[in-house]
Amino acid sequence: MNAHARRTGWMAALVFLVALCLRPAITSVGPVLAYLGADTGLGEGTLGILTALPLLAFAAVSPLVHRMAARFGDDRAVLVALGVLVVATVVRSYAGDAGLWIGTFAIGAAIAVGNVLTPVLVRRDYPERVSLATGFYTAFLTLAAATGSALSVPLAHLVDWRFSLVVWAGLALLVALAWLPRMAGPAVHSPALEPVPVPHHPSIWRWGTAWLATVYMGLQSTTFYVLATWLPTIETSWGVPAATAGLHVSFFLLLGVLGGLLIPRLLRDGRDQAPGMLAATAPLAVGTAGMLLWPDALLLWLVLLGLAQGASLVAALTMLSLRARSHGEAAKLSGMAQSIGYLLAAAGPFAAGFLAEQTGSWTPTLVLLAVLTTTQTIVGVVLGRGGRR
């Protein structure tokens, strides 16, 4: 891409504001699930399906984003996504039972566009400082996720659960208005999203390393969304006050900022990232096993889980870049990993809620998480040793 096609200065920095909109509409739900369920009459299993809807939307929409971007341009596609996010967030809270489901899916579809395009915009607009810009991007993403979780219960107490979820439409609207100056000039579409063929590797779907990266992202996303969704409910079942449980989730999410900033030192471009992948992922297995075996040390496990969820997200995104052999393949690998990975992750919140509803205990869910995080650790180490083959 020619240099003139890039955004510079404060206009380029607007991409970090978009990152603020990509998680609160989802992470604000978990802390108020009990209120939502009591008001709507939905049980844990059905609530699990509801919380899985955004992930199903991620899986369905992610492979289609490059077509949307090719038609409208990257910046216009992001603006459309922000507009959909505003409307869908309002619909979810105030359009009745049908609106709850339709709005939730539409929220996921809008966020999926941002998930795919904002990292591409970061790489496009900060070509000489990709690592630093990516660090800022993930920090904004994680801070917003934590804020959504922390404010959810207090806002629900102030008004109700519907208000605590709808306030994030206001943030998306403000960011959409701030984004408007980027519409000036011709539509810009990053060639990183074009399906550039790779010699000797006509189909990424037949590439073993691509499947390893996809499985790793899927397991990372599953663990994150199960914990972000159900951790407050698990804690309240242990006698922790709802407001405290919501703050714990925020603590868990904020620690991800630190974990994400620390792990790149161990994932530098080179032949073997296995030590970094182990450091990023093993604490997840330790933390989930710790919650199962010694719940009294909850804060210790939250620290490990918080650091590791941020580190493993950065690890997943880093592997998508390091294992790709071209910009075009990086985009296709990202689309594959986000589509199939989030499809796998969508089963997590539902399975967690279903197990709890059927057994009357959260122990089976914690056992499931321990198995998944152990598997993720093994897959991460194998992926880290994969080089660029």
Side-chain angles (χ1 to χ4, degrees), residues 44-45 47-49 51-52 55 222 225-226 229-230 345-354:
E44 284 89 347
L47 290 173
I49 297 175
T51 58
L55 304 184
T222 300
Y225 283 105
V226 168
T229 300
W230 290 114
F350 166 72
F354 179 80

Side-chain angles (χ1 to χ4, degrees), residues 237-309:
S237 73
W238 292 346
V240 178
T244 302
L247 289 175
H248 282 175
V249 176
S250 300
F251 178 58
F252 158 79
L253 294 170
L254 284 171
L255 282 170
V257 176
L258 179 59
L261 292 174
L262 291 176
I263 201 63
R265 291 177 175 271
L266 299 177
L267 293 173
R268 290 175 178 170
D269 190 0
R271 178 67 185 174
D272 188 358
Q273 290 84 32
M277 297 298 286
L278 180 65
T281 316
L284 288 173
V286 175
T288 51
M291 287 184 65
L292 179 65
L293 300 174
W294 190 17
D296 288 342
L298 176 62
L299 289 179
L300 172 61
W301 311 132
L302 286 177
V303 169
L304 289 179
L305 291 170
L307 291 171
Q309 57 89 8

Side-chain angles (χ1 to χ4, degrees), residues 218-230:
L219 291 172
Q220 181 274 326
S221 299
T222 300
T223 301
F224 174 80
Y225 283 105
V226 168
L227 289 172
T229 300
W230 290 114

